[in-house]
Amino acid sequence: MTTLRERKTYRKAVLRSLYEAVERNRPEVSGATLRDEIRLPDEDLFAACTYLADEGLITVEWTSHRTPATVSLTHEGIRFMEEEEEADAPPEG
């Protein structure tokens, strides 16, 4: 069973990967590509995507095997990642 810290790390990795894809003009990512990029087992990817979709940060098209076929950030997910990026940026001046 994964710990809370691991689950949060997985969710951040999913969001980061999708945000980077948006920046490269790839608004939609296949579930297989996402899994390979962040190296998550299917059950952890399922849990992370389910949580983030429930929060309204991503949309997921599911396969019949409970794995994501395609995943993309919602407008709210992009705003969330932009806020994270601004918070992590060094102060200007």
Side-chain angles (χ1 to χ4, degrees), residues 10 35 39-46:
Y10 298 158
R35 182 187 60 238
R39 297 186 175 109
L40 277 183
D42 284 338
E43 61 273 5
D44 293 326
L45 182 60
F46 170 79

Side-chain angles (χ1 to χ4, degrees), residues 22-34:
V22 167
E23 289 179 334
R24 292 187 309 266
N25 247 357
R26 264 186 16 195
E28 195 172 80
V29 177
S30 77
T33 298
L34 184 61

Side-chain angles (χ1 to χ4, degrees), residues 7-34:
R7 290 191 306 269
K8 286 182 175 185
T9 299
Y10 298 158
R11 293 175 202 152
K12 286 180 183 180
V14 168
L15 288 172
R16 196 173 311 112
S17 181
L18 293 173
Y19 188 60
E20 289 170 1
V22 167
E23 289 179 334
R24 292 187 309 266
N25 247 357
R26 264 186 16 195
E28 195 172 80
V29 177
S30 77
T33 298
L34 184 61

